[in-house]
Amino acid sequence: MADGAADTRSLPGDDVLHAALEHAVAEVFSTMVGKFESLAVDAAVAAALPARGLSHVHFDREAVVEYRGVLEGHVTIRCNADGALDIARGLLMLDAGDTSLSIEEINDALKECANMVTGHVKTRVLDPLGGCQLSVPFVNSVATSAAAARDRMLLYKLQQGLISVEIWRRETAASAA
Amino acid sequence: MNKVLIVDDSATMRKIITRVLRQAEIPCNTVLEAGNGVEGLAKLASDPDIDLILSDINMPEMNGVDFVKAVRTAHAKEKLPMIMVTTEGGEAMMKNALDLGANGYVTKPFTPESIRAALEAYLG
């Protein structure tokens, strides 16, 4: 683009990112994790939890991958202990009752899962904007109730556990323009 | 095929690929592992009988593209197949790896079937 010329490409909005995230989760989980059930999307999430007896569920860890490029932000997968185990067992093709995994192995699997989901969003939505870099995935300890569900949070029931997936976008010069 | 080298910075992904190879009934006796391109080159130097390499692209120290480039200085594409396994589905990255001598690629998430399809031609 010539200096001073306006970039008239339109940047994808939250709806597009959210749809790409939902597609990415479906792709990664159906291919490599196993059973997953979408509980609700958007504003219905919080209302759905008590009815399903899930409002007591607490997430205790999250895996995060940051993306940087024309758009910047991060993808977060939060889960309770059972949800993390479900992801690790699924990826490693272990039986539902397998208890042989260490915390490091479980967290490593969670990071790999976040990496694949974010990579999928990158390929579909972020790369076409003109290049995007992903951070190395990392895991944090958190203490969040599933009842704190908010708009645009995807919530899934796995084999035994529960996870939430979100995509956040930071305001950048390009996105503010 | 006797020996396969898996190069990926994630220990979990190396385990996953090893299990998928078994699930896909890929006939290999030995699976070797390395955490990045530098370690991959060291494995290759110490074990010249490796028949095929499965490599991630996004790795610390030496990424998959530089790894392909380094391997191809000593090992021809026909003699030592290299299949890239990565979330980086971006065309530029893949084209770069293929131009430098990678034989093919598989995008994560993958199934035993997609791994088998990518390796089919090299299962002599």
Side-chain angles (χ1 to χ4, degrees):
Chain A
M1 190 171 61
D3 281 352
D7 186 348
T8 55
R9 290 174 302 179
S10 61
L11 294 174
D14 289 344
D15 286 350
V16 174
L17 289 177
H18 184 77
L21 182 67
E22 200 171 6
H23 187 273
V25 171
E27 185 74 15
V28 170
F29 279 66
S30 64
T31 308
M32 295 189 76
V33 177
K35 184 187 167 193
F36 74 107
E37 176 196 355
S38 176
L39 289 182
V41 180
D42 296 341
V45 170
L49 289 168
R52 289 174 168 266
L54 295 170
S55 54
H56 65 285
V57 173
H58 289 267
F59 297 133
D60 65 2
R61 75 195 79 183
E62 64 180 15
V64 181
V65 178
E66 295 171 338
Y67 58 91
R68 288 197 188 88
V70 175
L71 294 183
E72 297 187 358
H74 63 270
V75 169
T76 301
I77 298 181
R78 286 200 184 94
C79 53
N80 63 353
D82 284 340
L85 252 178
D86 286 338
I87 288 174
R89 286 176 183 143
L91 287 178
L92 291 163
M93 298 177 200
L94 300 173
D95 294 335
D98 193 295
T99 55
S100 64
L101 291 167
S102 66
I103 290 172
E104 287 73 25
E105 287 172 315
I106 293 168
N107 286 347
D108 202 17
L110 193 55
K111 285 191 275 188
E112 198 56 56
C113 184
N115 199 33
M116 284 191 282
V117 168
T118 313
H120 206 274
V121 174
K122 173 182 183 287
T123 301
R124 286 174 64 90
V125 178
L126 304 174
D127 276 342
L129 299 175
C132 170
Q133 300 279 323
L134 299 186
S135 73
V136 172
F138 54 93
V139 168
N140 295 320
S141 294
V142 295
T144 310
S145 167
R150 62 171 191 87
D151 267 8
R152 297 191 180 282
M153 183 169 104
L154 301 173
L155 197 64
Y156 299 92
K157 175 91 173 73
L158 305 184
Q159 193 79 32
Q160 295 168 33
L162 197 70
I163 66 160
S164 74
V165 190
E166 295 170 77
I167 187 163
W168 290 83
R169 177 163 66 161
R170 261 196 310 275
E171 201 65 29
T172 62
S175 61
Chain B
M1 191 159 58
N2 198 27
K3 278 187 192 170
V4 171
L5 171 62
I6 299 170
V7 186
D8 197 305
D9 58 320
S10 163
T12 298
M13 188 47 72
R14 297 197 301 268
K15 266 188 215 164
I16 292 167
I17 294 171
T18 302
R19 286 168 197 257
V20 167
L21 288 175
R22 275 193 221 123
Q23 193 92 1
E25 297 178 351
I26 302 294
C28 62
N29 298 327
T30 310
V31 174
L32 303 170
E33 296 184 21
N36 58 52
V38 174
E39 288 180 20
L41 290 175
K43 287 275 182 196
L44 206 49
S46 63
D47 200 334
D49 296 332
I50 291 168
D51 298 304
L52 184 137
I53 298 173
L54 288 159
S55 176
D56 187 18
I57 282 191
N58 199 7
M59 298 181 286
E61 293 212 40
M62 180 187 281
N63 68 34
V65 174
D66 291 337
F67 179 52
V68 172
K69 200 172 170 183
V71 170
R72 287 298 174 237
T73 59
H75 302 271
K77 196 171 170 178
E78 302 73 33
K79 300 274 183 192
L80 181 57
M82 296 184 76
I83 307 294
M84 312 312 285
V85 185
T86 181
T87 50
E88 299 278 358
E91 283 184 6
M93 198 75 138
M94 282 306 169
K95 187 174 182 314
N96 205 0
L98 293 169
D99 286 348
L100 288 167
N103 297 63
Y105 65 89
V106 177
T107 307
K108 300 172 194 171
F110 50 76
T111 59
E113 292 73 29
S114 58
I115 288 278
R116 184 162 184 102
L119 302 191
E120 197 76 64
Y122 313 106
L123 301 177

